[in-house]
Amino acid sequence: MIVEKILQSKKNANCILDLEKSLLSNDEDDILSSMHTYQKLFVQLYERNMIQLSPNLDSNEEKYRLWLIDRKNDLVDNLLTYLNYNNEKIQGESLEVLMTLVKLEGLNSEEWNFPNELFGKIVNELLSHCVDEKGNIHKFQEYMQYHDILMHSLKAALNILNDKEKVTDIFLTNLFYLLNTINFPKEFQTTTPNTYLPQGSLKAPFFCKKNLLRKLFSNTWFRYLKFQLPIPVLKRVLLMLHKKVIPHLQNPCLLTDFLTDSYNQKGIISLLSLNSLFFLIDRYNVEYPDFFLKLYSLTNAEIINGKYSPRFFYLCDLFLSSTHLPAYLIGAFVKKLSRIALLSQTDSILRILCLVINLIIRHKSITVLINQENPTEMFEDPFDFDASDPAKSCALDSSLWEIKTLQSHIVPEISRKAKMINRALPSLELENTALDITIDSLYKKERKRHFTEVPLAVNRPLKI
């Protein structure tokens, strides 16, 4: 074995150079084999304190150890390069050997001494400006469960961010991948901390402090969100912000400007920012007086029939849950949704009907919309669909003739739901199962149903 040969005598040290040539060959099997051998070799060298200088060494021994340190530095540079190799096995092995070196270097002391320089190089490579590192960061996720790796990853990322004034979209995407791997610890153990570097023999062990980690976490996210994020990344950030980020920030209110700017972008970005913005309003008393005005303007056919339709209805139901909201506001939403339902796709119509019926059950003051007579013509309806302010829409002077119209819909499930307003509504709200409904699931459900009368697209022939 080449490892034993090198360790037996310094005369065999040049075998390391042969190993380096093999590492840089074009044969992928040779590359992988060399990585395995390097890993075994440096485990032995670190255990024998050969990668460490001390004042008692003679000149020859010092030169030899300096030479070994140079070989280790060359190995690190080569492994960092191989992180972007077009072979996943080589990428994964490179990361594993690099993290092994992190552990070995960190243990080369009687006190806690995390190898920040080496670890910083790894994080810097994972946050490449020109290469998508999604695969490597996914593999790196298994190390992020350790408190020391988590803390120093945030430190390294924050240092990189603070040194950057201009960044690429690829860098911002890679950093999102890294931040998204973070699962903030629920517990911080004081006796046996969850660390990557073993601490059994250390005189001064490492303990992760919750306040320090929250500070690093907060500073990294606040610095990151100051950059103009690519739209695909911004969407993903807004989707997870209220669950994975805001609860762990030191001062979540500092996100108000970011969320307000996102909300003002309209369209999908505006919709996705709703949850986090409402979270700040509800939990942290952030003032946003135009919230419902913005939500009303966001209620349109494009959103309701789009990709995030279930999310919109879930949020809309949540935001309109308070019984203290004025009747004119709820009435305006009910009328606008009902009007949009006339030209919506089947699954969206069912979501609208479920939400509208629940809003009527929840807010008794708008039952007037059911009892008023229908206008004979659409232009006679006093409701102003295009009004930007719900207070000026005259919704409560109108009626739900749109729902009456849907009672003749060709889809039986829509017809049945719409006919619920013809009788006394239940005291309990409907289950929000329409959020998960699809055309396929609706078709399968209807196939199992037995009908006494089937709606037809044509008139029945007259009996003679």
Side-chain angles (χ1 to χ4, degrees), residues 141-380:
Q141 185 173 1
E142 66 181 85
Y143 300 101
M144 292 289 278
Q145 62 179 305
Y146 299 104
H147 293 178
D148 50 349
I149 297 295
L150 171 57
M151 189 183 80
H152 286 279
S153 295
L154 288 171
K155 277 187 177 180
L158 186 57
N159 288 336
I160 294 169
L161 280 170
N162 288 335
D163 289 339
K164 305 289 184 184
E165 292 186 2
K166 294 183 179 180
V167 295
T168 64
D169 287 353
I170 294 177
F171 169 81
L172 293 171
T173 304
N174 287 332
L175 183 50
F176 170 75
Y177 293 148
L178 183 67
L179 293 174
N180 196 36
T181 63
I182 296 175
N183 290 314
F184 205 85
K186 295 180 180 179
E187 297 180 358
F188 290 82
Q189 298 165 327
T190 56
T191 53
T192 55
N194 178 27
T195 57
Y196 179 64
L197 271 63
Q199 302 192 74
S201 60
L202 295 181
K203 293 180 180 179
F206 165 84
F207 292 99
C208 186
K209 296 180 180 179
K210 184 177 181 179
N211 289 339
L212 176 59
L213 190 59
R214 286 187 68 190
K215 182 178 179 180
L216 282 170
F217 184 80
S218 301
N219 291 343
T220 304
W221 268 105
F222 290 142
R223 183 74 180 92
Y224 176 62
L225 295 178
K226 286 184 179 179
F227 293 100
Q228 185 173 354
L229 303 181
I231 294 299
V233 175
L234 180 58
K235 289 180 181 178
R236 297 188 64 182
V237 167
L238 292 171
L239 277 169
M240 50 85 79
L241 207 59
H242 66 287
K243 284 186 176 180
K244 294 188 69 174
V245 179
I246 292 179
H248 309 299
L249 296 177
Q250 284 188 317
N251 186 2
C253 297
L254 295 177
L255 285 179
T256 304
D257 288 343
F258 167 76
L259 291 172
T260 301
D261 291 342
S262 299
Y263 196 26
N264 291 336
Q265 288 191 36
K266 299 182 180 180
I268 297 301
I269 299 299
S270 184
L271 169 63
L272 297 179
S273 65
L274 274 174
N275 213 339
S276 296
L277 188 57
F278 185 77
F279 191 87
L280 294 184
I281 293 171
D282 184 49
R283 299 285 181 89
Y284 298 95
N285 298 317
V286 170
E287 293 186 7
Y288 193 83
D290 294 332
F291 180 82
F292 288 103
L293 202 63
K294 293 280 187 181
L295 179 62
Y296 187 74
S297 66
L298 193 61
T299 306
N300 56 59
E302 181 184 358
I303 294 292
I304 285 174
N305 294 294
K307 177 181 177 181
Y308 295 99
S309 174
R311 186 178 185 84
F312 170 79
F313 282 99
Y314 167 77
L315 294 175
C316 204
D317 185 49
L318 175 66
F319 303 152
L320 300 176
S321 60
S322 173
T323 55
H324 298 292
L325 294 173
Y328 76 83
L329 178 67
I330 303 299
F333 272 99
V334 166
K335 274 295 294 182
K336 192 170 188 181
L337 287 167
S338 301
R339 184 69 59 83
I340 293 172
L342 294 175
L343 297 173
S344 291
Q345 55 199 33
T346 302
D347 52 346
S348 297
I349 296 174
L350 286 171
R351 293 186 187 111
I352 289 173
L353 287 172
C354 186
L355 178 58
V356 164
I357 291 169
N358 282 342
L359 288 174
I360 296 173
I361 294 172
R362 191 181 304 160
H363 303 272
K364 306 297 183 185
S365 57
I366 65 168
T367 53
V368 64
L369 291 172
I370 299 177
N371 302 324
Q372 289 177 162
E373 293 184 2
N374 301 333
T376 55
E377 298 289 343
M378 182 174 173
F379 67 83
E380 295 178 3

